[in-house]
Amino acid sequence: MVDRNELMQAMNAELQPEAFRDYCPNGLQVEGRREIRRIISGVTASRALVEAAVAADADLILVHHGYFWKGEPQVITGMKRERMRQLLAHDINLVAYHLPLDAHPVLGNNAQLAERLGFTVEAPLREDGVGQVGFPVRPMSTGDLQTQLGQVLGREALCVEAGDHPIRRIAWCTGGAQSLLTSAAALGVDAYLSGEISEQTTHEARELGVHYFAAGHHATERYGVQALGRWCAERFDLEHQFIDIDNPA
């Protein structure tokens, strides 16, 4: 068991959220009980995850996608009220890290995805550390990488081929980072991997000569919260469980 404030200080020191200009608050978003013994982690603080955390008698929910995003309505009504009601009624803390959990060189979504795919990291994709550039274990065809993504992530990745060249150098950024394709192309990569795809992405990939893979926003961002949850559990001798709420997007 650990005091919530001590736990938050440790996570903030590790992830350094103050270094990022983000779209939401990072860290403690909803305050619950002070003493923490059991953490539930998940990708998004949906009602289903909150209900699962209540059933698991959790003290803290750790997510990548929390609440209070810029541009969304500020009132606590409807869907948001129900999520908040359950958190407050059961005295559960909600902690969310967005860009800091994308950028961390070990615990982050991109680092964890690279580890599972066997990519060697050469450099960050952005100056703030979000996204990475590197190499696969060996030169791969688009079909080889598409097969590997399906095996690792448990879902078929969409592939836009941009020629017949093999993949020797690749950039990747989990989640909804299709807009970074042009930045990746400027670095001379053969392929770019993200979670989502937009209509214009297909044309950009073909014209830039960079193979594009959309492997799922949820599917590519399942691993950072798991790594951070394990880090907390090992450091403070806590219980940790990752709950995967299915999401096809």
Side-chain angles (χ1 to χ4, degrees):
M1 188 175 293
V2 64
D3 182 90
R4 180 193 63 235
N5 291 347
E6 182 181 355
L7 178 61
M8 292 308 308
Q9 287 174 3
M11 284 195 285
N12 286 336
E14 183 66 27
L15 296 175
Q16 300 182 5
E18 68 280 357
F20 296 86
R21 295 182 61 184
D22 214 334
Y23 314 101
C24 62
N26 287 292
L28 183 63
Q29 290 191 340
V30 179
E31 185 177 286
R33 62 182 64 100
R34 188 72 177 261
E35 294 183 336
I36 309 299
R37 59 185 175 83
R38 180 174 297 156
I39 295 174
I40 292 296
S41 65
V43 177
T44 299
S46 63
R47 177 176 173 178
L49 182 64
V50 173
E51 290 174 344
V54 170
D57 194 24
D59 305 300
L60 184 147
I61 300 174
L62 175 64
V63 296
H64 182 50
H65 302 138
Y67 304 154
F68 313 114
W69 298 91
K70 290 180 181 178
E72 74 176 11
Q74 296 180 339
V75 295
I76 308 299
T77 60
M79 178 180 67
K80 188 184 293 185
R81 176 194 178 276
E82 181 56 24
R83 292 175 175 180
M84 296 278 288
R85 184 192 67 78
Q86 293 198 58
L87 288 170
L88 295 172
H90 295 278
D91 209 16
I92 299 175
N93 298 275
L94 176 66
V95 175
Y97 289 101
H98 186 234
L99 291 183
L101 195 57
D102 287 321
H104 195 279
V106 177
L107 303 175
N109 285 316
N110 290 290
Q112 289 290 312
L113 182 63
E115 181 179 322
R116 285 162 175 79
L117 294 173
F119 292 167
T120 297
V121 178
E122 175 190 12
L125 177 58
R126 294 196 333 189
E127 290 184 0
D128 62 1
V130 174
Q132 295 177 329
V133 182
F135 309 90
V137 174
R138 55 178 175 78
M140 306 178 75
S141 68
T142 54
D144 289 339
L145 182 53
Q146 193 172 25
T147 297
Q148 184 188 20
L149 288 168
Q151 293 171 344
V152 171
L153 300 179
R155 57 163 289 162
E156 183 177 359
L158 185 152
C159 173
V160 177
E161 292 187 318
D164 57 4
H165 57 278
I167 301 168
R168 293 187 173 90
R169 191 160 181 256
I170 185 170
W172 61 96
C173 188
T174 62
Q178 59 268 50
S179 63
L180 295 181
L181 171 59
T182 52
S183 298
L187 298 175
V189 300
D190 302 302
Y192 177 61
L193 164 65
S194 189
E196 297 184 12
I197 186 169
S198 299
E199 188 276 340
Q200 68 269 22
T201 312
T202 296
H203 305 294
E204 291 174 352
R206 290 170 177 167
E207 293 172 34
L208 291 167
V210 176
H211 304 307
Y212 185 82
F213 294 85
H217 193 136
H218 176 87
T220 57
E221 296 199 319
R222 287 179 295 194
Y223 305 113
V225 287
Q226 294 184 59
L228 182 57
R230 288 192 300 269
W231 183 88
C232 293
E234 293 167 3
R235 187 181 181 96
F236 295 102
D237 193 24
L238 303 173
E239 298 177 34
H240 167 247
Q241 178 187 358
F242 173 71
I243 296 179
D244 192 14
I245 304 298
D246 178 63
N247 188 332

